[in-house]
């Protein structure tokens, strides 16, 4: 079992190294997009599906409260997952996130979308709604991404993680979320 544990650490490290090589510049650009949105009165709208919805909520909480240093609250909202609604309408089964974006999203806002497959219908519709609302998009995706990646414009930023086991991808996404928070704080509130 200890050999398997060492292998788990090794997989994580290899995924992080591969991501670090390809994501330094896009991560920096994503942080600047977030900072510019916040400076211009926009907010960060976070969403995911399943386990990535929890990560979107985590990102929102870190922006609203604080990451590692005390600072003013930053405007952020995590879109509510499908099961959180008090009213369920089967007609809107895959557009529950898009409907929230249509109601809440504005041109100065950024949609941070976190996808494990790039084929989740609810996330695809969310990105389409954000594009309709002229929002900028930061997408956390896997390198072999499909339909969601194809929707992004030149102004949007895709943080592509190398394809691997879902657990390793999620670990890398968590690191990216924390990095975005740190870079945003560092830029807006230099020590």
């Amino acid at each position: 079992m200890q050999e398997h544990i060492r292998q788990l650490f090794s997989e994580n490290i290899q995924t992080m190294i591969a991501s670090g090589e390809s994501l330094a510049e896009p991560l920096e650009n994503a942080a600047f997009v977030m900072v510019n949105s916040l400076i211009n009165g926009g907010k960060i709208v976070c969403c995911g599906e399943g386990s990535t919805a929890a990560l979107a909520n985590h990102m929102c909480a870190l922006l609203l409260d604080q990451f590692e240093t005390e600072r003013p609250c930053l405007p952020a909202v995590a879109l509510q997952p499908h099961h959180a609604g008090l009213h369920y309408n089967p007609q809107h089964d895959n557009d529950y996130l898009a409907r929230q974006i249509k109601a809440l999203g504005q041109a100065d806002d950024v949609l941070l979308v976190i996808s494990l497959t790039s084929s989740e219908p609810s996330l695809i519709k969310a990105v389409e709604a954000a594009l309709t609302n002229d929002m900028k998009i930061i997408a956390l995706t896997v390198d072999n991404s499909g339909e969601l990646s194809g929707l992004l414009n030149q102004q949007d930023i895709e943080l592509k993680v190398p394809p691997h086991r879902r657990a390793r991808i999620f670990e890398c996404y968590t690191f990216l979320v924390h990095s975005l928070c740190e870079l945003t704080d560092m830029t807006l509130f230099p020590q």
Side-chain angles (χ1 to χ4, degrees):
M1 185 176 281
Q2 288 184 17
E3 184 54 38
H4 183 73
I5 292 168
R6 287 196 240 339
Q7 180 61 32
L8 292 174
F9 277 100
S10 179
E11 283 179 6
N12 175 279
I13 291 165
Q14 293 307 313
T15 302
M16 297 300 275
I17 289 171
S19 298
E21 294 295 323
S22 63
L23 291 180
E25 183 179 350
L27 188 58
E28 177 184 43
N29 294 338
F32 283 132
V33 165
M34 287 176 55
V35 166
N36 285 335
S37 171
L38 295 167
I39 288 172
N40 291 318
K43 64 186 165 298
I44 311 302
V45 180
C46 307
C47 72
E49 180 69 49
S51 61
T52 61
L55 189 55
N57 276 316
H58 178 62
M59 173 70 167
C60 181
L62 293 175
L63 292 170
L64 285 170
D65 189 15
Q66 59 187 20
F67 178 56
E68 290 184 332
T69 58
E70 193 166 328
R71 58 149 166 79
C73 298
L74 300 175
V77 62
L79 300 181
Q80 293 302 305
H82 183 51
H83 56 74
L86 297 175
H87 176 71
Y88 173 70
N89 185 344
Q91 265 184 299
H92 305 298
D93 205 30
N94 287 322
D95 64 351
Y96 62 95
L97 295 172
R99 292 171 63 76
Q100 293 173 68
I101 291 171
K102 288 174 187 174
L104 300 171
Q106 298 175 348
D108 284 328
D109 296 343
V110 172
L111 174 65
L112 176 76
V113 59
I114 308 171
S115 171
L116 284 174
T117 68
S118 286
S119 62
E120 300 98 325
S122 61
L123 297 182
I124 291 167
K125 289 181 182 266
V127 169
E128 291 170 344
L131 292 170
T132 301
N133 282 12
D134 294 324
M135 296 169 66
K136 287 191 171 64
I137 299 164
I138 298 170
L140 278 63
T141 63
V142 180
D143 205 11
N144 59 0
S145 299
E147 191 173 350
L148 191 145
S149 297
L151 294 173
L152 302 178
N153 294 324
Q154 195 169 16
Q155 70 176 4
D156 302 319
I157 299 169
E158 188 171 19
L159 301 173
K160 290 185 176 188
V161 172
H164 212 293
R165 292 173 46 197
R166 281 185 177 216
R168 302 299 83 83
I169 294 166
F170 192 84
E171 291 159 3
C172 193
Y173 282 178
T174 304
F175 177 82
L176 292 173
V177 161
H178 289 164
S179 296
L180 284 170
C181 288
E182 183 168 332
L183 294 169
T184 300
D185 283 2
M186 188 175 83
T187 306
L188 288 174
F189 308 100
Q191 297 288 328

